[in-house]
Amino acid sequence: MTFAATIGVIRAEMAKTIRIYLSYPIIVVFWAVFPMLWVFPFVFQGKALVGGMSSPAFEQLTGSGNYMAFVLIGAMVSNFVFSGLWGVGNSLREETYWGTMEYIIASPTSPLVILVGKTLAEAAVTTCIVCLQAVVISILPFGISFTLAKVLPVLLIVGLLMLGFYGFTIAFAGFTLLIKEAHGWIHTLEWVFFLFSPIRYPVQVNAITQVVSTLIPLTWALVAIRGIILLNRNEVSLGRTVFILLVMDAILLVAGWLIFSWLERKTRRDGTVGMH
Amino acid sequence: MEERAREVEGSMSRATIEPSRPRILARISHYAVAVWAENIKEWRLELTYPADFVRSLVDPVVYLLPFLLYGVALVGGRTSENLHRLAGTSDLVSFITIGYVFIGFMNMALWAMGFSLRKEQMYGTLESVFAAPVPRWVFTMGMSMHSILHQFLMIAAQIVFIVLVFSIRINPLGLLPSLAMVGVMLVALYGIGMIMASTTLIFKQGWLISEALASILMVLTPIAYPLAVLPLFMQRAALAVPTTYGIMTARHFLLGEAMPFSVGAAFGRLALLSVVWVAFGLITFTLIDKYTRRSGTLSHY
């Protein structure tokens, strides 16, 4: 396939995925509203345990005692991770349910190209949802403000985070070709991310979670983003975070591509691609 | 002649009254067999995927830990003075663990029971289930039996892990009364599960309703915080939710949590909620079942 044809396929896949998304507008509303609702139990838990909206113990660990802002930023950024897991990681499984998987396999396009189209569409939709959430959060009195000086480095980090993470989800999509029913595994992965990255709590509170979390790009991204938004310190650690994320991206993208290609070859050879 | 007529009438009325009792018993035993068969079928299906079964026992522990570690990060230890002031217990690990252990039953009702019919549809067996000579509620009851037993296994895994790692301290004498209250809560949750199961008959992809309802109930139910920290309108809404009473009384018996109502009042309200939710669930289910049959959309995806 020529480069222009490949771009055409990616564009068509993006248009198809976004069209399917917009056919169920209630799902878009759900993803815009409910991740914010999931933060409320943490806010009430904080109020019950601390008695106010700031915690000295939390400040010792994170540099800011504003636990509500901590959890809200975690919820917003983690949207990229979870939408990637469901939207890209589970996408080939969905094609199997729709009965269109065989057409993808039989077409002269590599499934990897289709996945790139799905990834870009998912990234576009999630970015819109997160921007909407950021606008709402900055209006409400949560102690979070977004200025241009803060938004630009945050966008850079989010871009780098998504790049590597979508590499991981492409590998996971290959995994679904092998194991078929991945619904439960995606939930487990969600909870593993909740446990080993600082989405909802500072991982340095426990030695094991602190060590394991350093292997996950989301940890580096969240620490840097919170540093920029809550503590106004972007110059000090931004270069280091960007370097670490770039290295992780390179590893995850190459590994994702290799794992997906290998699993696709294997399932084609075994003749199990069309199985449920 | 009259005497003979009275004799015949008497024997006929005896014939209509006396065999009716065995008929009711036979029907109950028939339903019980169907419930048990459904339960066994679900266990067989589940144990066909052993890796997935093991994963389902590890998941609840992984799910619980961030809530505990968040609490520890907030106060810098496992005791909170403010929690003691609000709930009469300062051990946040025990407080949060018991809350999340029992809220698992709500997730079970909303997801496992709610999706029981959708699952049958995906397997292609929904029509066979609907054609079986038992009412549909018997089928969902069998499904809920499996879910409850599974939930107990998950609770056991959570408790073993938490006891080994965090050593929670509970009052052992409170175990039986708290299980009794949780049992009444399960009846109410069965009603909610029926409603969820029926919504999947109409909306097919009912995950959105289950997810939305679960999210709202997770905020309203005082799982990791006492009722007093909720805004007033949410406190009022929480009093209509069966999990509020189930979890608060369980913690009251096991940890001595102070409640804004007496145990008797909690039991009375929970029993009332159970009747209301089950009645509402059965009526909703029957109406939607009739509607989907009449509109011919039962087998639609």
Side-chain angles (χ1 to χ4, degrees):
Chain A
M1 269 180 85
T2 62
F3 181 72
T6 306
I7 296 293
V9 170
I10 290 174
R11 199 188 301 149
E13 182 58 41
M14 274 183 78
K16 185 196 91 179
T17 308
I18 290 174
R19 222 175 262 173
I20 292 173
Y21 244 116
L22 296 179
S23 305
Y24 303 95
I26 191 75
I27 293 183
V28 180
V29 174
F30 174 85
W31 283 115
V33 174
F34 277 82
M36 294 293 106
L37 191 72
W38 298 334
V39 167
F40 278 90
F42 288 89
V43 176
F44 293 135
Q45 188 179 343
K47 236 174 111 183
L49 298 181
V50 181
M53 295 313 288
S54 181
S55 153
F58 213 76
E59 190 169 359
Q60 271 192 340
L61 288 167
T62 64
S64 165
N66 185 351
Y67 58 84
M68 188 157 81
F70 181 96
V71 177
L72 276 170
I73 291 172
M76 270 197 304
V77 177
S78 63
N79 267 324
F80 290 105
V81 171
F82 299 130
S83 72
L85 265 179
W86 288 103
V88 181
N90 200 39
S91 59
L92 293 183
R93 182 67 183 154
E94 280 190 326
E95 295 282 353
T96 313
Y97 272 121
W98 298 336
T100 43
M101 187 62 193
E102 286 82 354
Y103 295 100
I104 290 176
I105 295 292
S107 78
T109 314
S110 161
L112 208 58
V113 175
I114 304 281
L115 275 180
V116 171
K118 286 180 186 296
T119 304
L120 292 175
E122 194 61 44
V125 173
T126 311
T127 306
C128 289
I129 288 174
V130 171
C131 286
L132 183 72
Q133 290 172 344
V135 169
V136 173
I137 284 172
S138 59
I139 293 169
L140 296 171
F142 293 136
I144 302 173
S145 63
F146 297 97
T147 58
L148 196 63
K150 286 179 180 180
V151 168
L152 290 177
V154 166
L155 284 178
L156 170 71
I157 292 169
V158 167
L160 290 172
L161 168 72
M162 285 159 71
L163 204 63
F165 190 74
Y166 284 130
F168 171 78
T169 55
I170 285 172
F172 192 80
F175 184 58
T176 63
L177 288 177
L178 188 73
I179 61 159
K180 312 297 177 195
E181 191 47 69
H183 195 266
W185 290 101
I186 295 179
H187 271 304
T188 304
L189 266 177
E190 273 185 347
W191 292 331
V192 166
F193 281 119
F194 277 130
L195 180 59
F196 291 114
S197 55
I199 300 172
R200 289 175 166 175
Y201 74 98
V203 281
Q204 52 270 45
V205 74
N206 179 276
I208 298 169
T209 54
Q210 186 175 15
V211 172
V212 178
S213 70
T214 55
L215 303 171
I216 300 174
L218 182 61
T219 305
W220 297 95
L222 274 172
V223 169
I225 290 169
R226 285 192 181 113
I228 293 165
I229 295 175
L230 294 179
L231 308 172
N232 292 315
R233 53 170 190 224
N234 47 355
E235 303 84 10
V236 186
S237 57
L238 191 62
R240 183 166 159 257
T241 305
V242 168
F243 175 73
I244 291 169
L245 285 175
L246 276 172
V247 172
M248 285 182 158
D249 286 354
I251 295 169
L252 286 169
L253 281 173
V254 173
W257 175 65
L258 287 175
I259 290 171
F260 181 84
S261 305
W262 172 61
L263 288 171
E264 193 219 345
R265 256 199 325 273
K266 179 180 161 48
T267 45
R268 272 174 190 258
R269 204 175 45 233
D270 297 346
T272 58
V273 174
M275 287 182 184
H276 283 264
Chain B
M1 277 295 281
E2 268 180 25
E3 202 177 328
R4 175 76 186 139
R6 270 201 301 274
E7 206 174 286
V8 169
E9 198 181 319
S11 68
M12 276 176 74
S13 61
R14 268 200 305 279
T16 50
I17 292 165
E18 281 177 7
S20 67
R21 196 179 291 164
R23 257 211 302 274
I24 290 169
L25 286 176
R27 182 173 288 189
I28 290 172
S29 114
H30 176 61
Y31 290 171
V33 168
V35 168
W36 184 250
E38 180 57 37
N39 168 46
I40 294 294
K41 183 205 85 183
E42 277 302 304
W43 277 111
R44 276 202 189 141
L45 277 174
E46 186 157 13
L47 295 174
T48 311
Y49 306 97
D52 218 38
F53 176 70
V54 173
R55 185 193 58 73
S56 76
L57 296 182
V58 176
D59 271 359
V61 176
V62 181
Y63 171 77
L64 175 66
L65 284 173
F67 295 98
L68 296 178
L69 294 172
Y70 173 68
V72 171
L74 278 170
V75 295
R78 67 178 284 171
T79 55
S80 158
E81 278 308 307
N82 200 58
L83 185 67
H84 189 263
R85 194 173 55 79
L86 291 167
T89 174
S90 60
D91 182 6
L92 68 95
V93 172
S94 307
F95 188 88
I96 296 169
T97 299
I98 290 172
Y100 275 100
V101 157
F102 288 121
I103 201 66
F105 286 110
M106 184 195 76
N107 291 328
M108 171 275 295
L110 289 173
W111 289 105
M113 268 185 72
F115 279 84
S116 54
L117 296 179
R118 183 68 181 159
K119 254 166 60 182
E120 294 293 338
Q121 198 176 33
M122 300 296 258
Y123 300 156
T125 46
L126 185 67
E127 288 79 0
S128 316
V129 166
F130 270 51
V134 284
R136 253 73 70 198
W137 61 264
V138 170
F139 164 75
T140 53
M141 194 171 259
M143 198 63 104
S144 75
M145 187 177 182
H146 159 261
S147 304
I148 290 167
L149 292 174
H150 193 169
Q151 193 61 41
F152 272 115
L153 274 181
M154 285 158 77
I155 286 178
Q158 277 179 322
I159 288 178
V160 166
F161 180 85
I162 297 298
V163 165
L164 288 176
V165 175
F166 291 101
S167 67
I168 56 169
R169 290 177 282 274
I170 55 162
N171 173 18
L173 294 175
L175 264 174
L176 273 180
S178 55
L179 282 176
M181 286 300 280
V182 168
V184 185
M185 179 182 83
L186 283 177
V187 177
L189 289 175
Y190 174 73
I192 298 176
M194 290 284 287
I195 297 167
M196 284 296 111
S198 57
T199 56
T200 58
L201 286 178
I202 287 188
F203 299 111
K204 311 299 175 188
Q205 288 283 18
W207 67 269
L208 208 65
I209 300 167
S210 286
E211 188 73 61
L213 188 63
S215 303
I216 293 165
L217 292 180
M218 289 292 273
V219 177
L220 289 180
T221 307
I223 306 166
Y225 38 84
L227 200 60
V229 296
L230 290 174
L232 205 59
F233 76 96
M234 288 172 99
Q235 284 187 37
R236 286 191 185 134
L239 294 179
V241 176
T243 41
T244 299
Y245 300 103
I247 286 173
M248 286 186 77
T249 46
R251 267 200 309 242
H252 171 76
F253 288 125
L254 296 170
L255 298 176
E257 179 183 354
M259 298 191 296
F261 35 74
S262 66
V263 173
F267 180 78
R269 289 181 200 176
L270 189 54
L272 181 70
L273 282 174
S274 300
V275 173
V276 171
W277 278 111
V278 168
F280 187 50
L282 283 172
I283 291 168
T284 310
F285 189 85
T286 311
L287 289 176
I288 291 179
D289 179 28
K290 269 188 191 155
Y291 168 76
T292 47
R293 278 160 175 270
R294 207 172 41 234
S295 60
T297 56
L298 184 64
S299 58
H300 286 188
Y301 279 84

